[in-house]
Amino acid sequence: MSPLDSQSGVWKKKGTGKSRKQPKGRQVDDQALEDVQNLLGDSPRRRDLLIEFLHLIQDRYRCLSAPHISALAHEMRLSQAEVYEVATFYAHFDVIAEDDAPPPMLTIRVCDSLSCELAGAEQLKAALEDGLDPSQVRVLRAPCMGRCDTAPVLEIGHNHIDHATPDKVITAMLSDDTHAHVPDYEGLDAYKSAGGYQKLLELRQGGDWEEVQETVLSSGLRGLGGAGFPSGKKWGFVRANTGTRYLAVNGDEGEPGTFKDRYYLERTPHLFLEGMLIAAWAVDAETAFIYLRDEYPAVREILLREIAALEDAGIVKPGYIDLRRGAGAYICGEESAMIESIEGKRGLPRHRPPFVAQVGIFDRPTLVHNIETLLWVARVVREGPEILSGVEKNGRKGLRSYSVSGRVQNPGVHLLPAGSTILDIIEACGGMLDGHAFKAYQPGGPSSGLLPASINDVPLDFDTLQPLGTFIGSAAVVILSDQDSAKEAALNMLRFFEDESCGQCTPCRAGCEKAVKLMQADEWDQDLLTDLCQVMSDASICGLGQAAPNPIRSMMTHFAGEI
Amino acid sequence: MPDGAQINTVTFTLNDEEVTVPEGFSIWEAANGQGLKIPHLCHKPAKGYKPDGNCRACMVEVEGERTLVASCIRPVSDGMVVKTESERARKSREMVVELLAADQPEVKHDAASHFWEMADLNGVTTSRFPKKAPDVVPLLDDSHVAMRVNLDACINCNLCVRACRDVQVNDVIGMSGRGATSKVTFDQDDPMGGSSCVACGECVQACPTGALMPATVLDENQAGDSKDFDREVKSVCPYCGVGCQIKFKVKDDKIKYVEGIDGPANEGRLCVKGRFGFDYIHHPHRITKPLIRREDAPPKGLNVDPGNWHTHFREATWDEALDFAAGGMAKLRSEKPTYVAGFGSAKCSNEEAYLFQKLIRQGFGHNNVDHCTRLCHASSVAALLENVGSGAVSATFNEIENADVAIAIGCNPLENHPVAATYFKQFTKRGGKLIVMDPRGHGLKRFASHMLQFKPGGDVSMLNAIMHTIVEEELYDRQYIQAFTEGWDNMKDHLEGFSPEKMAPICGIEAEVLRDVARTFAGANAAMIFWGMGVSQHIHGTDNARCLISLALMTGQVGRPGAGLHPLRGQNNVQGASDAGLIPMFLPDYQTVTDDGVRSAFTDVWGSEDFSGQKGLTVVEIMDAIHADDIRGMYILGENPAMSDPDSDHARAALAKLEHLVVQDIFLTETANYADVILPSSAWYEKSGTVTNTNRQVQMGRPVTPPPGDAKEDWWIEVELAKRLGLNWTYTHPREVFAEMKLNMASLDNITWERLEETAVTYPSLSPEDPGQPIVFMDGFPRADGRAKFTPASVVPPDETPDAEYPFVLITGRQLEHWHTGSMTRRSTVLDAVEPEANCSLHPRSLRDLGVEPGDYIRLSTRRGSVTVLARADRAVAEGNVFLPFAYVEAAANILTNPALDPYGKIPEFKFSAVRVERADSPVAAE
């Protein structure tokens, strides 16, 4: 010590015990950094791959620990906050603080959306919680898994169990059957031998995209994700913008009750892929992104295989199709939220204007299509527009893939004329379950609310339900019977919206939360709820908040006796 | 518009009236311009804040649209019909506030919050909605000394996230989770005080609810009122050279809290020092009466407790103290005028700096007057004057907005110029390429396109290699070189010997990286170079700066928007003090003292005799001259050489040796320990005067609070001393000094005291209306023929290289919270609490090799002395290096530093000493 250091002019002392041992905040842990670097390998450290990287860590370590998050942030040159907020936004990431224990080896997710709830999901979950060792298995609730025709459903690891029972769970656990089951489907060779991809290759050789667009338009095909925008019109909008353009496929089929996209992808994936490549060709897309919900691990496996097969066959360049994995967020089915998620961010819907056709992925013009829509693009292009426009019923043209669940004999995807009424649909499903009388139905997911059985002569198509204050959406039809409470169903729907609201805007974030509380009252404060419904519809940023009040409104309009 | 560009307008209907506004205006802006206040929560109409449209409190109805529209984020379009007062719109706005009001806490953290103001505007006082479940409401986070986080009042408006991410780009705050349970979090939901938060307080300033508040505004029940103050005063920050403008909220003559305001350099932003480092002025150590050394005082040494000085000093009246101070100086003057030298201050006003140099020159007839610019950018200034003819920046740092490439070398702006750094970080977010060159991988590394963590002292080899590539690949700007420079052929020849392959082992950067940097910089449309003490504080500091100047010249990156040279100035008024002539070689405006005509121009104004035409001694030379008995008395105003000079033991011994030392300061500094008389002065916040920041922006400082006790403004003390030294000074206000300065300072043309009372002005200002020129050298340089010069630089090794006995490299510098010698910041509650004690940083591997745990104490020894200090593990520091901040008296870095000087700038080599590192025992705090 220097002689001067001990003098009384040294008015500040050492040994305070209050000084940090390192720079501010959490520092990167060497081991965690090595873990992350090993997992990422030589992938480019692009921001848009953040969610993919989080999956790698979650898959390997069953959770995202604080050291891993800070290591990933360091590796990607992001802040911890940026990684943390993304990680905590998505339900399928388990974010763990330094002092928290990692989750148990096995996770069971029990679907609690309407069809599964009707089929006893709550009792199933309770039984599992009672019967299983929480240190070995954890049981979580989860929103719709897109298998409503086999309700109740759960996912153990990544194995989905239909018509689930505790016994089936035990069996799966004992046999370590926790991985996705890939069903038989039509592979590339089979599809090609039936003439598949000929049309695509022809078009690439000198086809006229405007001609194709005209064909699609003339078929009457509309967006089957739920918005119903004429499919043929989008291409021109996107194409009108110069520079790099993208295609994004919305495979985030999250509207409870909907499972048609999964149904088709598990059977004829190439029909969709050819449709996608035709659309990508039409807008001259730089990359075709497929955003697939994480609830469909079997479909993911199929697509991974078949995209590789397409690359091997020279039909697409390696990397041209970029399959992205959702992470458990319904809101990412909203197209601009999906784009945010593809960019590696939280799924917050964007303000419009500008529309994604002008400012989409990486702020470039982006064509967004639903899976089923693209499947029909392929069919229309291959088989002609008449396969849709030639079908007419009740004054409506075209076909609709109704995902039907609830109290019917044969739930499932039913491809019916778009003019079908609810009675036609119930009939197609072999009628009501024994002992159940038709009481009410959800025409198109919870966003569409509930209609009473008495409204049974309306074609369930785009535009036809507007006068009733509802819409067909993704055609997720759930049939309720006299044994079901409409009020409970509406509450189930609002709870879903409360869970899935991104939280960005006040009317939806606070509105859903307050609505759930108000709806639990024995007697509803209808004046306040009426005002709240109006404000949520008027002032929410996106369709989630705007449509979330529909179940409340339908209760007040059609089931006033229950509230 | 100044550039004559046409503004496109749009016309729309607002509540039945036609309104025309510039294209791009939002409905909210347009309505606001009509005097219509649409309620808003998440929208902050301030620079840097993009509208987010999330709160939905500003909804309006637009004809033809299915839903309402958030007026803050929707641009007006031609023919749009907007109704702000429709039933639908009003209902939405009211209910949004009502929904949020339901969850507001009982205790109002800010009774005057923007939220409640907006609720009033909507007529909302209560809520019909049920409250959130208590278990999802976050609890108080009081982990940070400066701020309180009460998220029970948070409305998720996201303003703090934008403040932290978009405006300050500190990226600490995020919105985590989803839906109704989403919440504001720091890092990974860490307590604010344990997070990477740098306490810039931007979030506090942005928060509309009181969820984030300065701790000083809240009581123990977390209740507060941001409008509870007596007055607001606008002034300028006293710390670094950025020159942030601040508004002070004063209650009972004490500063309660502050806000950043829209100054040209800071646009509302502040850093932790500016926002929370103000209460040093209220510290009990303030000297409130003149003090004279007691006859029975112990021998001079660093032995005075600044909180209890009575053993060494006695109080005196101003008359007695001034007579004593001036008398001692006059006595020495009568023996030999050069016996008295002066250190002025870069912390005081332009006027005070001017008076100080005038007092030495006029009162003692010589030029032995200097200040701490000698210790920071003297070498930069030497190189700039030599090669471009002007010592100030060629472009403001804000010009980075127009650049596409920038180099930041030898500077750590995240800690030393935090508000300037925000612009650098924003530049990278827009896609700008930032090339960071520094032996430390400091905070800018994350934002860098190229991080060149070179070997300490390797600057010239690295820069020459880059320039070699530019020559080799003919990437230089032939036209510019021909039109505006001289010495190019010579430079080209010189650079031949510096191939990247040859330089790589010297600077430690791979040849290919050096080439890539050369191509990137030379390929820029507009590029800037920023540098700091890492460049200047070397014995080859002037050479380093010459290289940077040459690099800019050969690529034509000077004198255009987004292009230029910018040495980041360290002190609030180091630019102004240098401009005002507080330098031994120069009179005001860098007019050389050796020129008879220059001197006579000044003596004409001063009405006095000629003074010495010899360049005076510099800071370190003055210390040596004391040891050599050539200087026996000093007048030191607001400087602390006992801490800031290299080889402190040597400097302190010099101070102890002085026969008569007059120290003028606000605290009993380490230097004042050695004083014979101490004159208590006012702090910056207690006086009027102008300051000039790193951007050449002249700004007005105003008294915020009165000085304590009998403390006086520095200019008044200077005038009183001058009178007692027989000078004819009659100033009664700084504005008179400013007027006199203008007579011989062309840089102040068109800038008047009256203008500065209204607004900041950048010099040069070309007319009484011109706000000033952010860019200079647009059409040449203030040199012969208007040409800048290439001055080649060769590789000079550091004065002292590591060896077996002293194997590590010691680098000194600053830390975010502590400013220079710590006299102010260590007396600021917040800053002291965040960084309470001396510390140094080493790479974790270096510590492991030494067998030292982070937080343990180590002894650092150089050939000049040794200190014991807490060791931190910090990956930013390269292995084999030690970084030691110099603000801490208990482990004063300058005990260790090497006083070897740069031959041109006379700046010491603070950035490189050979040092030995050993484990040490933990000290026990005496308190």
Side-chain angles (χ1 to χ4, degrees):
Chain A
M1 197 180 286
S2 171
L4 291 174
D5 271 5
S6 56
Q7 298 182 19
S8 47
V10 180
W11 62 284
K12 282 287 200 180
K13 305 299 172 211
K14 284 178 266 201
T16 59
K18 292 173 183 163
S19 193
R20 280 175 286 106
K21 299 174 180 182
Q22 56 184 37
K24 296 184 187 77
R26 183 180 289 95
Q27 301 298 299
V28 175
D29 175 79
D30 286 332
Q31 182 59 49
L33 185 60
E34 201 186 311
D35 294 345
V36 166
Q37 286 168 340
N38 287 339
L39 282 172
L40 268 54
D42 54 6
S43 311
R45 272 43 170 174
R46 292 198 328 249
R47 163 73 204 238
D48 62 291
L49 295 174
L50 174 59
I51 294 168
E52 297 294 315
F53 295 156
L54 290 170
H55 275 305
L56 290 177
I57 301 173
Q58 171 81 35
D59 287 350
R60 171 71 182 75
Y61 296 98
R62 305 196 313 280
C63 63
L64 303 174
S65 68
H68 279 144
I69 286 182
S70 66
L72 181 63
H74 176 84
E75 188 63 17
M76 296 183 73
R77 307 209 306 167
L78 294 169
S79 70
Q80 291 182 67
E82 286 171 294
V83 177
Y84 185 78
E85 66 177 11
V86 172
T88 54
F89 184 85
Y90 294 95
H92 290 184
F93 296 132
D94 293 299
V95 177
I96 301 296
E98 271 91 353
D99 304 332
D100 292 349
M105 287 301 291
L106 200 56
T107 296
I108 296 176
R109 291 188 155 86
V110 181
C111 173
D112 70 354
S113 285
L114 184 55
S115 305
C116 286
E117 187 174 273
L118 296 179
E122 204 180 319
Q123 295 85 330
L124 173 65
K125 180 163 176 276
L128 291 170
E129 281 166 341
D130 278 352
L132 298 171
D133 175 0
S135 70
Q136 298 298 313
V137 190
R138 62 176 176 159
V139 181
L140 304 176
R141 64 149 292 274
C144 184
M145 296 170 184
R147 319 177 76 86
C148 322
D149 49 340
T150 56
V153 174
L154 59 76
E155 184 187 32
I156 175 164
H158 285 302
N159 178 17
H160 282 97
I161 296 189
D162 297 335
H163 301 299
T165 61
D167 283 349
K168 285 190 182 178
V169 167
I170 304 285
T171 307
M173 280 173 61
L174 290 176
S175 56
D176 213 11
D177 184 9
T178 57
H179 295 286
H181 292 200
V182 178
D184 288 336
Y185 62 90
E186 182 190 40
L188 179 58
D189 290 343
Y191 183 72
K192 274 172 75 176
S193 64
Y197 291 111
Q198 274 175 19
K199 203 72 198 176
L200 172 72
L201 299 176
E202 268 171 42
L203 291 172
R204 283 179 178 174
Q205 284 305 315
D208 177 350
W209 71 269
E210 284 175 296
E211 208 173 280
V212 178
Q213 173 170 256
E214 194 49 48
T215 306
V216 171
L217 198 59
S218 70
S219 75
L221 180 63
R222 292 171 67 172
L224 297 171
F229 192 83
S231 305
K233 281 191 182 168
K234 280 187 177 177
W235 299 0
F237 291 150
V238 173
R239 187 102 198 191
N241 298 288
T242 53
T244 305
R245 295 178 284 255
Y246 293 109
L247 168 67
V249 179
N250 189 339
D252 197 53
E253 184 177 53
E255 186 74 20
T258 315
F259 46 92
K260 62 186 179 63
D261 292 347
R262 180 183 62 79
Y263 175 90
Y264 288 120
L265 288 172
E266 286 182 350
R267 285 162 180 79
T268 54
H270 283 287
L271 203 50
F272 150 70
L273 287 166
E274 184 171 10
M276 175 185 83
L277 292 171
I278 290 171
W281 161 80
V283 297
D284 192 17
E286 178 84 10
T287 304
F289 292 94
I290 303 174
Y291 188 85
L292 184 71
R293 68 189 306 230
D294 199 32
E295 287 80 353
Y296 291 174
V299 174
R300 180 176 161 78
E301 183 56 38
I302 292 170
L303 287 177
L304 283 172
R305 285 183 202 166
E306 297 313 308
I307 291 167
L310 285 175
E311 290 176 352
D312 289 346
I315 294 174
V316 293
K317 284 189 308 242
Y320 181 77
I321 302 174
D322 192 341
L323 177 65
R324 295 299 183 88
R325 184 173 166 194
Y330 163 74
I331 190 61
C332 293
E334 199 279 345
E335 63 177 6
S336 64
M338 175 186 73
I339 285 172
E340 289 283 304
S341 192
I342 289 172
E343 291 182 358
K345 303 175 194 160
R346 294 175 294 156
L348 304 190
R350 295 178 179 175
H351 293 269
R352 272 147 291 207
F355 295 91
V356 300
Q358 294 144 357
V359 182
I361 297 175
F362 308 134
D363 290 345
R364 301 303 311 159
T366 301
L367 174 67
V368 178
H369 276 313
N370 160 263
I371 298 240
E372 191 198 351
T373 309
L374 288 168
L375 180 136
W376 285 107
V377 166
R379 288 196 58 184
V380 164
V381 172
R382 287 179 61 182
E383 303 168 38
E386 303 77 20
I387 56 158
L388 290 178
S389 61
V391 181
E392 191 169 342
K393 179 170 184 177
N394 291 335
R396 309 298 301 176
K397 284 191 175 173
L399 291 166
R400 182 77 59 245
S401 301
Y402 296 100
S403 306
V404 192
S405 60
R407 309 297 192 182
V408 289
Q409 293 283 357
N410 291 315
V413 173
H414 293 271
L415 183 64
L416 299 174
S420 302
T421 65
I422 191 64
L423 295 180
D424 297 329
I425 290 168
I426 293 174
E427 190 190 340
C429 293
M432 295 293 292
L433 279 178
D434 294 339
H436 288 264
F438 180 36
K439 171 181 174 178
Y441 63 108
Q442 166 193 287
S447 310
S448 67
L450 283 171
L451 289 174
S454 59
I455 301 180
N456 58 15
D457 57 351
V458 190
L460 298 187
D461 193 10
F462 294 123
D463 312 326
T464 53
L465 295 169
Q466 255 77 337
L468 296 166
T470 180
F471 46 76
I472 184 65
S474 57
V477 178
V478 181
I479 309 291
L480 273 65
S481 77
D482 55 349
Q483 297 180 23
D484 302 319
S485 156
K487 185 180 175 185
E488 287 302 315
L491 185 59
N492 176 290
M493 295 174 186
L494 260 294
R495 280 204 169 111
F496 169 76
F497 290 127
E498 183 190 12
D499 281 331
E500 297 297 335
S501 166
C502 77
Q504 183 181 194
C505 71
T506 311
C508 177
R509 181 187 68 246
C512 290
E513 179 250 325
K514 302 299 178 207
V516 165
K517 291 190 170 61
L518 293 169
M519 289 167 76
Q520 291 176 69
D522 288 338
E523 199 172 322
W524 284 13
D525 182 343
Q526 295 203 35
D527 288 345
L528 185 57
L529 278 166
T530 302
D531 280 356
L532 179 61
C533 289
Q534 186 190 336
V535 171
M536 288 174 72
S537 296
D538 272 349
S540 293
I541 292 175
C542 80
L544 192 160
Q546 289 165 12
N550 284 340
I552 307 175
R553 286 201 178 107
S554 46
M555 285 306 294
M556 294 192 284
T557 309
H558 305 297
F559 306 94
E562 290 191 34
I563 54 173
Chain B
M1 299 282 275
D3 58 359
Q6 192 77 32
I7 304 177
N8 292 327
T9 59
V10 288
T11 299
F12 77 115
T13 307
L14 177 65
N15 296 336
D16 302 326
E17 284 194 36
E18 284 223 330
V19 176
T20 300
V21 293
E23 194 174 14
F25 261 44
S26 67
I27 298 173
W28 193 93
E29 279 176 293
N32 197 46
Q34 299 294 306
L36 185 64
K37 188 156 191 178
I38 302 176
H40 58 109
L41 295 171
C42 75
H43 180 50
K44 184 175 167 70
K47 283 180 188 156
Y49 288 88
K50 280 181 289 197
D52 201 51
N54 69 61
C55 74
R56 320 304 276 178
C58 69
M59 303 308 281
V60 298
E61 195 165 351
V62 173
E63 212 171 86
E65 301 214 13
R66 183 172 55 86
T67 58
L68 300 175
V69 162
S71 60
C72 68
I73 199 166
R74 174 65 70 88
V76 169
S77 58
D78 258 322
M80 186 184 250
V81 177
V82 177
K83 295 194 180 84
T84 65
E85 298 308 308
S86 76
E87 176 60 27
R88 261 177 94 195
R90 293 182 69 97
K91 177 175 270 180
S92 270
R93 295 200 299 256
E94 283 167 24
M95 185 161 279
V96 160
V97 175
E98 189 184 353
L99 280 165
L100 295 169
D103 293 313
Q104 284 299 301
E106 294 295 316
V107 174
K108 286 185 180 169
H109 307 308
D110 184 3
S113 76
H114 178 75
F115 176 80
W116 286 114
E117 197 184 309
M118 290 297 116
D120 278 352
L121 203 56
N122 278 299
V124 174
T125 50
T126 55
S127 181
R128 294 166 289 169
F129 289 104
K131 279 181 163 311
K132 267 188 198 172
D135 60 326
V136 300
V137 179
L139 301 174
L140 164 70
D141 171 3
D142 61 356
S143 58
H144 201 285
V145 62
M147 292 166 279
R148 291 288 170 271
V149 186
N150 281 289
L151 292 181
D152 54 355
C154 177
I155 58 170
N156 290 40
C157 74
N158 199 25
L159 267 171
C160 58
V161 180
R162 280 174 279 161
C164 194
R165 185 170 296 170
D166 299 346
V167 180
Q168 291 265 353
V169 203
N170 287 326
D171 292 330
V172 178
I173 306 184
M175 187 68 80
S176 67
R178 189 167 79 193
T181 53
S182 60
K183 65 167 188 166
V184 164
T185 43
F186 303 92
D187 290 345
Q188 299 192 43
D189 201 7
D190 296 314
M192 188 190 221
S195 75
S196 58
C197 169
V198 292
C200 70
E202 185 79 30
C203 57
V204 164
Q205 183 161 324
C207 178
T209 64
L212 294 162
M213 288 284 274
T216 49
V217 180
L218 294 181
D219 66 17
E220 62 284 1
N221 300 317
Q222 304 302 315
D225 182 350
S226 61
K227 294 267 161 65
D228 178 31
F229 50 78
D230 302 330
R231 63 178 184 276
E232 292 179 300
V233 184
K234 293 177 185 179
S235 191
V236 184
C237 182
Y239 292 110
C240 80
V242 169
C244 297
Q245 289 195 11
I246 307 184
K247 192 193 279 178
F248 296 83
K249 320 280 180 164
V250 184
K251 185 165 168 81
D252 301 330
D253 279 341
K254 292 238 193 287
I255 300 170
K256 188 169 174 180
Y257 73 106
V258 315
E259 280 178 349
I261 51 177
D262 189 14
N266 66 311
E267 296 179 312
R269 306 167 202 184
L270 295 176
C271 77
V272 62
K273 293 189 287 287
R275 190 179 305 275
F276 297 116
F278 53 78
D279 66 343
Y280 69 92
I281 65 167
H282 304 313
H283 193 277
H285 283 181
R286 282 295 296 271
I287 320 171
T288 58
K289 285 200 160 46
L291 303 179
I292 293 177
R293 181 169 282 273
R294 289 166 63 130
E295 305 264 331
D296 58 351
K300 287 181 178 179
L302 190 62
N303 53 12
V304 187
D305 176 352
N308 179 17
W309 38 259
H310 293 88
T311 46
H312 294 65
F313 293 96
R314 63 174 176 84
E315 290 182 352
T317 63
W318 269 109
D319 270 338
E320 185 193 4
L322 288 164
D323 287 346
F324 181 80
M329 290 194 280
K331 177 172 162 288
L332 289 170
R333 177 177 63 181
S334 66
E335 293 169 32
K336 193 174 180 186
T338 52
Y339 276 170
V340 177
F343 288 165
S345 176
K347 300 225 63 60
C348 293
S349 68
N350 286 321
E351 297 74 31
E352 288 161 345
Y354 175 86
L355 288 183
F356 193 91
Q357 58 87 31
K358 179 176 173 183
L359 184 134
I360 297 296
R361 288 180 164 125
Q362 190 186 27
F364 297 88
H366 59 75
N367 294 297
N368 293 339
V369 57
D370 205 355
H371 75 296
C372 66
T373 189
R374 193 63 43 210
L375 307 176
C376 54
H377 266 307
S379 47
S380 310
V381 171
L384 286 165
L385 287 169
E386 171 189 59
N387 299 296
V388 300
S390 160
V393 300
S394 84
T396 64
F397 65 73
N398 311 73
E399 270 302 309
I400 197 169
E401 196 172 326
N402 299 314
D404 56 322
V405 176
I407 289 177
I409 174 169
C411 57
N412 179 11
L414 257 57
E415 301 202 56
N416 300 330
H417 302 85
V419 171
T422 65
Y423 292 89
F424 299 2
K425 292 180 281 183
Q426 287 182 324
F427 155 82
T428 66
K429 285 185 99 174
R430 285 193 304 272
K433 287 185 180 157
L434 183 66
I435 300 161
V436 178
M437 303 171 172
D438 202 289
R440 277 198 296 159
H442 54 68
L444 269 188
K445 179 179 176 182
R446 179 159 82 81
F447 300 89
S449 63
H450 302 72
M451 176 73 217
L452 278 60
Q453 198 167 347
F454 62 96
K455 290 184 191 169
D459 318 57
V460 170
S461 58
M462 176 177 67
L463 295 168
N464 274 352
I466 289 167
M467 290 192 283
H468 172 98
T469 302
I470 290 174
V471 173
E472 186 188 24
E473 301 186 4
E474 297 192 19
L475 306 171
Y476 47 84
D477 185 339
R478 208 176 303 264
Q479 267 187 327
Y480 187 88
I481 292 168
Q482 269 173 14
F484 292 113
T485 70
E486 63 184 50
W488 174 237
D489 290 339
N490 185 26
M491 184 73 187
K492 252 166 78 172
D493 293 345
H494 173 78
L495 289 171
E496 228 169 274
F498 296 88
S499 73
E501 285 70 21
K502 213 163 118 189
M503 293 301 109
I506 303 177
C507 63
I509 304 295
E510 288 171 34
E512 219 17 69
V513 174
L514 294 168
R515 288 187 200 280
D516 188 37
V517 166
R519 291 168 197 144
T520 304
F521 188 82
N525 288 319
M528 292 188 75
I529 301 177
F530 298 93
W531 73 92
M533 310 292 92
V535 163
S536 60
Q537 290 175 338
H538 286 282
I539 56 164
H540 51 83
T542 305
D543 278 341
N544 290 347
R546 285 169 175 154
C547 288
L548 296 173
I549 294 165
S550 296
L551 177 60
L553 291 175
M554 69 174 62
T555 50
Q557 295 296 2
V558 196
R560 283 184 294 118
L565 294 160
H566 192 118
L568 288 154
R569 310 311 301 256
Q571 303 227 24
N572 62 329
N573 200 34
V574 71
Q575 183 66 53
S578 303
D579 293 348
L582 206 53
I583 320 183
M585 322 74 179
F586 298 119
L587 281 150
D589 264 1
Y590 307 92
Q591 302 177 77
T592 178
V593 295
T594 57
D595 185 315
D596 295 348
V598 165
R599 286 198 314 284
S600 69
F602 280 91
T603 49
D604 283 355
V605 169
W606 296 348
S608 54
E609 302 285 301
D610 193 13
F611 54 93
S612 169
Q614 263 196 332
K615 291 177 181 177
L617 298 175
T618 60
V619 167
V620 178
E621 290 170 333
I622 285 172
M623 289 298 161
D624 290 340
I626 298 170
H627 281 291
D629 292 327
D630 292 336
I631 289 174
R632 299 178 178 190
M634 281 199 76
Y635 175 22
I636 300 180
L637 190 172
E639 292 243 327
N640 197 6
M643 284 291 287
S644 61
D645 275 23
D647 192 359
S648 299
D649 286 350
H650 175 83
R652 290 170 185 177
L655 294 170
K657 190 163 183 255
L658 287 169
E659 288 170 28
H660 186 64
L661 173 59
V662 181
V663 172
Q664 179 173 325
D665 215 308
I666 62 174
F667 294 114
L668 204 151
T669 60
E670 290 73 17
T671 300
N673 271 250
Y674 300 88
D676 294 283
V677 53
I678 305 173
L679 306 173
S681 60
S682 58
W684 173 246
Y685 290 145
E686 296 159 354
K687 65 185 171 193
S688 299
T690 66
V691 276
T692 307
N693 68 2
T694 189
N695 281 344
R696 297 181 264 105
Q697 284 149 348
V698 189
Q699 309 193 86
M700 183 62 73
R702 298 179 183 82
V704 176
T705 58
D710 291 342
K712 295 282 191 189
E713 295 191 28
D714 290 280
W715 65 268
W716 180 90
I717 303 169
E718 291 172 316
V719 170
E720 290 304 312
L721 285 174
K723 286 179 184 167
R724 284 166 174 80
L725 287 163
L727 305 183
N728 56 345
W729 293 14
T730 58
Y731 311 103
T732 59
H733 191 275
R735 75 163 67 85
E736 297 159 16
V737 183
F738 188 83
E740 180 179 313
M741 292 166 72
K742 282 171 60 62
L743 298 176
N744 273 309
M745 288 180 76
S747 63
L748 297 179
D749 284 357
N750 297 307
I751 306 177
T752 62
W753 185 273
E754 290 67 33
R755 263 190 94 178
L756 294 172
E757 292 209 283
E758 298 300 315
T759 179
V761 184
T762 306
Y763 77 74
S765 164
L766 306 182
S767 73
E769 292 77 36
D770 177 20
Q773 299 295 307
I775 303 152
V776 294
F777 314 147
M778 304 274 256
D779 35 54
F781 295 87
R783 293 182 80 254
D785 299 336
R787 284 175 184 276
K789 181 177 150 197
F790 286 102
T791 300
S794 295
V795 175
V796 176
D799 181 68
E800 179 181 77
T801 46
D803 54 23
E805 201 179 346
Y806 301 101
F808 279 75
V809 176
L810 175 75
I811 304 173
T812 66
R814 288 197 268 150
Q815 268 174 318
L816 174 63
E817 289 79 7
H818 288 304
W819 197 82
H820 281 225
T821 66
S823 59
M824 292 150 65
T825 51
R826 302 201 74 194
R827 292 179 173 93
S828 154
T829 317
V830 165
L831 303 175
D832 182 51
V834 179
E835 282 292 4
E837 99 170 68
N839 58 83
C840 67
S841 298
L842 290 89
H843 194 279
R845 270 194 294 270
S846 296
L847 287 180
R848 265 204 298 276
D849 293 349
L850 291 160
V852 174
E853 289 289 317
D856 284 355
Y857 286 75
I858 56 176
R859 185 184 347 273
L860 304 175
S861 310
T862 66
R863 291 183 173 83
R864 287 147 304 272
S866 75
V867 300
T868 303
V869 59
L870 179 139
R872 272 185 191 160
D874 184 353
R875 281 182 182 73
V877 179
E879 287 181 67
N881 292 357
V882 182
F883 178 76
L884 178 65
F886 66 90
Y888 299 94
V889 64
E890 66 274 29
N894 283 319
I895 287 172
L896 306 177
T897 51
N898 186 353
L901 297 184
D902 171 90
Y904 310 95
K906 304 290 173 83
I907 190 167
E909 189 152 65
F910 287 119
K911 294 295 186 198
F912 199 116
S913 310
V915 65
R916 184 169 65 236
V917 186
E918 300 157 294
R919 287 180 56 127
D921 293 334
S922 286
V924 179
E927 290 153 300

